[in-house]
Amino acid sequence: MGIVVTGATGALGRLVVDELLATVPAAGIAAVVRDKEKAAALAERGVEIRLGDYDRPETLEGAFRSGDRVLFVSGSEVGRRVAQHTAVIAAAKAAGVAQLAYTGILGGPDADFDLADEHRATERLILESGVPHTFLRNGWYTENYTANLGPVLEHGTVVGNAGDGRIAAASRADYAAAAAAVLTGEGHLGTAYELSGDTAWSLAEYAAELSRQTGRTITYTELTPEAHLSVLVGAGLPEAFARILVDVDDAIGRGRLAGTGGDLARLAGRPSTPLADSVATALAGR
């Protein structure tokens, strides 16, 4: 039996491995990756590397072992994830894993926006498979905003169509700490956790925090959904993905990402990272 992290070289997966290595011997951790070369740093730390590609079901046959506790990090390719996830679930069931912890989205079956569609479908597939599971319903990552500060600082504005809706975002490191706790702890099977930050904030408040820390005037500009879509496409995003982001803003405006139930802090064993700290980290890294 070991602890397995899929997508282990991705933004979330590698943070989970870091968390695990703080308390679990490297020999007890396996990383499932598509590209072995990208996992060289993990191999050097003693983590077992297993090749597995969500798009190639045959490669997943050796990704899991009987009794493994698996963090199943959802795929990032919107529109392709149901087929990809079906392959992962089938491989996990065939191997006889002891736990499949899936990173879904806040709200689970009640999430009524486009980005949630594939997550809802995946949860249904996991339930139907009978694989022992835990649902980690991740809220929004603060990095979804702070990783793209260039245009905001250049133009002096945050744009969106979220109105005064609030976002209970947290850092990826917060979600990673919660995932690691579920993988190493007991009593989590059959449980769904609604994971979100301790404090919800609006995009106007985000802009105000940027202003405070940069000493510049940065505003929030509310756009119509159509105008926001035009801005995103003009910035180079594929239209299909831009439409999903516009729809997420609509969901934010309806309060769908505002919940602050406290599951994240309880699992991580510490408060979620404040917005001010995430902004400071992002500005220092520029």
Side-chain angles (χ1 to χ4, degrees):
M1 184 207 82
I3 295 176
V4 182
V5 179
T6 74
T9 56
L12 177 63
R14 68 173 181 267
L15 290 174
V16 175
V17 174
D18 286 343
E19 284 283 342
L20 291 170
L21 284 169
T23 59
V24 177
I29 304 170
V32 175
V33 300
R34 285 187 294 187
D35 186 337
K36 195 171 184 179
E37 291 184 6
K38 290 184 179 179
L42 293 177
E44 289 174 1
R45 298 171 75 182
V47 173
E48 178 188 355
I49 307 301
R50 301 178 185 173
L51 295 181
D53 187 334
Y54 292 2
D55 284 314
R56 298 168 57 207
E58 70 277 6
T59 69
L60 295 168
E61 292 177 4
F64 311 120
R65 310 280 190 273
S66 178
D68 279 347
R69 295 185 175 192
V70 180
L71 178 67
F72 173 15
V73 177
S74 59
S76 60
E77 296 163 299
V78 177
R80 298 172 57 185
R81 295 190 285 188
V82 173
Q84 292 174 335
H85 293 178
T86 297
V88 175
I89 295 164
K93 181 176 181 177
V97 304
Q99 178 186 33
L100 190 66
Y102 172 68
T103 62
I105 201 162
L106 192 67
D110 297 325
D112 60 355
F113 44 100
D114 293 345
L115 188 62
D117 290 351
E118 292 169 307
H119 291 299
R120 293 198 309 271
T122 301
E123 287 197 4
R124 288 195 299 270
L125 289 168
I126 291 172
L127 290 171
E128 291 167 1
S129 76
V131 173
H133 67 275
T134 307
F135 292 146
L136 303 175
R137 294 172 177 162
N138 289 356
W140 219 226
Y141 301 137
T142 311
E143 289 89 346
N144 290 345
Y145 298 104
T146 58
N148 192 36
L149 284 178
V152 172
L153 298 178
E154 178 183 353
H155 299 289
T157 189
V158 176
V159 301
N161 58 280
D164 59 1
R166 306 185 75 77
I167 309 155
S171 72
R172 278 195 180 88
D174 295 334
Y175 292 105
V182 164
L183 292 169
T184 56
E186 302 297 333
H188 302 296
L189 291 181
T191 302
Y193 294 108
E194 302 289 344
L195 304 178
S196 59
D198 298 334
T199 303
W201 38 267
S202 68
L203 290 179
E205 290 169 341
Y206 170 56
E209 183 60 33
L210 287 171
S211 296
R212 186 183 73 81
Q213 294 200 32
T214 63
R216 300 164 56 181
T217 300
I218 297 173
T219 61
Y220 170 60
T221 301
E222 174 73 6
L223 302 175
T224 65
E226 295 76 15
H228 190 196
L229 177 65
S230 179
V231 168
L232 294 174
V233 172
L237 288 183
E239 183 172 340
F241 186 60
R243 288 188 182 279
I244 285 173
L245 295 182
V246 169
D247 184 66
V248 167
D249 265 20
D250 176 74
I252 290 169
R254 294 184 287 108
R256 306 308 288 176
L257 291 172
T260 54
D263 280 354
L264 179 61
R266 282 191 289 271
L267 286 174
R270 56 174 171 77
S272 65
T273 304
L275 174 63
D277 291 2
S278 291
V279 167
T281 298
L283 289 172
R286 286 181 55 78

